[in-house]
Amino acid sequence: MTTKWGISSTGKISHDFTVALKTLPPGDHQVVAVAGRGLERAQEFAKKHNIPKAYGNYEELANDPEIDVVYVGTIHPCHLPACLLYMNAGKNLLCEKPFSMNSGEVQKLITSARKNNVFLMEAMWTRFFPASREISRILSQGELGEVKVARAEFGVPSMHVPRSVEKELGGGALMNIGVYCVQFALMVFDGERPETIQASGFCLDSGVDEAMVVTLMFSRNRIAVCICSVAAQLPNEAVIVGTKGSIKIPANMWCPTSLVVNGKEEEYPLPQPSLPLNFVNSTGLRYEAEEVRQCLLKGLKESSRMSLSDSALLMEIMDEARRQVGVLYSQDIQ
């Protein structure tokens, strides 16, 4: 059975996601429609990707009976209204990270998914890469002993990018890229709620964070340190250290294609794209798409790999980190 996708938005990440889908068997995944903020943009996107239908608004996409699941690739301040529209129309959803703007909005998404009996997953693509699954296997089998320390950093100079620095666009280092570091820590510690959250950072004149460090203390004297910046180029590495060994992601920790396990490097190459991509390793978006398909085939309403409770805890931690640093969005005071 073919999983039929609708693409909501015509931006850069939606382009990359659509290209990634083409690396999967066409009998398994098919894009049947795209919707944008205007018909012309949607038609251009459809022509580039050979998509049969183009809509000039999201309502038409929501009402298309042919679609099995919608990929929401809008900027995150728009996630809540778009997702509610689709779920109220009975559509299954894969929504880009971060799920929404705060914990209250995430709870609204979860409530709607359950009310409408639809599948919902945050598109935290990192978790579905083969390298990430190998990390989980190693940890679950105790090959590192007890994990004591996890560290993840993500920094890319992007002060010139409006969605990175403007508050109304959901800007800020934590929300845009630090989310990958925090989710990595939660993946390493198997979704455990940290006992304490400590955050420090610097804010721009726009009121969003330029850089932030979030330290999570877990039970049994275990710690995770998450570092993010939209002003500095960091090595973008991640490290897990246990009592019996270590794992290092040497680069691109948010989309890993290699691991160094106890000093030995292992490669996990990605398929080549059919069109130029906007972001590094974007054909790796195929793995989250296949996770959605497998869940739908099994009749599941969420993924155990990135569950709704995982997304809720992730946002709770980011809410508290933002509170400590002084980042407040309009959605926080509604």
Side-chain angles (χ1 to χ4, degrees):
M1 182 181 75
T2 303
T3 300
K4 296 183 178 180
W5 291 85
I7 306 297
S8 179
S9 92
T10 58
K12 292 180 179 180
I13 191 62
S14 293
H15 166 88
D16 285 10
F17 181 80
T18 304
V19 173
L21 282 178
K22 293 180 181 179
T23 68
L24 295 163
D28 292 347
H29 297 267
Q30 181 185 359
V31 179
V32 298
V34 60
R37 287 177 291 179
L39 182 58
E40 184 177 349
R41 292 181 64 178
Q43 289 174 334
E44 290 176 359
F45 190 98
K47 182 179 180 180
K48 178 182 291 185
H49 295 282
N50 297 314
I51 300 171
K53 290 177 283 187
Y55 298 122
N57 60 71
Y58 297 151
E59 289 78 7
E60 290 179 290
L61 187 70
N63 293 324
D64 188 328
E66 191 178 5
I67 294 170
D68 297 316
V69 56
V70 175
Y71 169 78
V72 177
T74 62
I75 59 173
H76 39 282
C78 299
H79 285 175
L80 179 63
C83 288
L84 292 180
L85 170 68
Y86 293 124
M87 287 190 288
N88 286 335
K91 293 292 187 287
N92 300 301
L93 280 183
L94 174 64
C95 177
E96 259 307 329
K97 64 82 204 163
F99 225 177
S100 204
M101 292 300 293
N102 56 39
S103 295
E105 291 196 347
V106 169
Q107 288 303 321
K108 289 179 181 179
L109 292 177
I110 294 173
T111 298
S112 179
R114 291 172 176 164
K115 175 185 176 182
N116 291 293
N117 195 33
V118 296
F119 175 87
L120 175 64
M121 190 179 87
E122 184 174 11
M124 192 60 68
W125 67 324
T126 310
R127 293 211 173 184
F128 304 98
F129 275 70
S132 294
R133 291 183 179 273
E134 177 63 8
I135 289 173
S136 295
R137 185 198 66 78
I138 291 171
L139 296 178
S140 67
Q141 295 187 3
E143 294 179 21
L144 298 188
E146 182 178 28
V147 173
K148 302 299 291 184
V149 177
R151 176 178 57 82
E153 57 186 44
F154 193 173
V156 178
S158 52
M159 300 279 280
H160 60 287
V161 180
R163 67 178 179 85
S164 291
V165 297
E166 295 182 12
K167 181 179 284 190
E168 62 270 23
L169 299 180
L174 182 66
M175 287 289 275
N176 281 275
I177 57 179
V179 59
Y180 287 114
C181 302
V182 179
Q183 74 80 29
F184 178 81
L186 293 179
M187 183 185 75
V188 170
F189 291 111
D190 199 26
E192 181 179 328
R193 182 178 294 274
E195 293 183 340
T196 63
I197 303 166
Q198 295 178 321
S200 59
F202 303 98
C203 287
L204 300 167
D205 290 341
S206 64
V208 302
D209 51 306
E210 172 188 311
M212 195 180 296
V213 179
V214 182
T215 302
L216 307 176
M217 297 295 297
F218 294 88
S219 62
R220 304 194 307 277
N221 298 323
R222 297 170 299 149
I223 189 171
V225 180
C226 308
I227 307 169
C228 57
S229 173
V230 293
Q233 179 66 55
L234 298 178
N236 298 334
E237 300 174 342
V239 178
I240 306 167
V241 181
T243 55
K244 295 181 180 178
S246 66
I247 300 174
K248 179 179 180 180
I249 301 176
N252 301 330
M253 57 76 52
W254 71 99
C255 51
T257 56
S258 65
L259 299 176
V260 180
V261 181
N262 295 327
K264 181 181 179 181
E265 187 165 9
E266 302 173 8
E267 299 287 342
Y268 300 86
L270 297 173
Q272 292 299 307
S274 57
L275 290 172
L277 298 170
N278 294 297
F279 304 106
V280 65
N281 290 347
S282 277
T283 51
L285 292 163
R286 71 199 303 267
Y287 301 116
E288 64 181 10
E290 182 60 22
E291 174 73 8
V292 172
R293 171 176 164 79
Q294 292 304 317
C295 287
L296 293 179
L297 290 175
K298 296 172 185 175
L300 301 176
K301 301 305 178 184
E302 61 182 295
S303 165
S304 60
R305 186 75 183 162
M306 188 66 197
S307 70
L308 297 179
S309 61
D310 290 334
S311 294
L313 177 57
L314 173 61
M315 188 56 75
E316 287 178 31
I317 292 170
M318 295 204 300
D319 279 359
E320 175 59 20
R322 287 195 297 109
R323 186 194 68 79
Q324 292 182 24
V325 174
V327 179
L328 187 71
Y329 297 110
S330 61
Q331 292 85 352
D332 297 323
I333 54 179
Q334 290 178 354

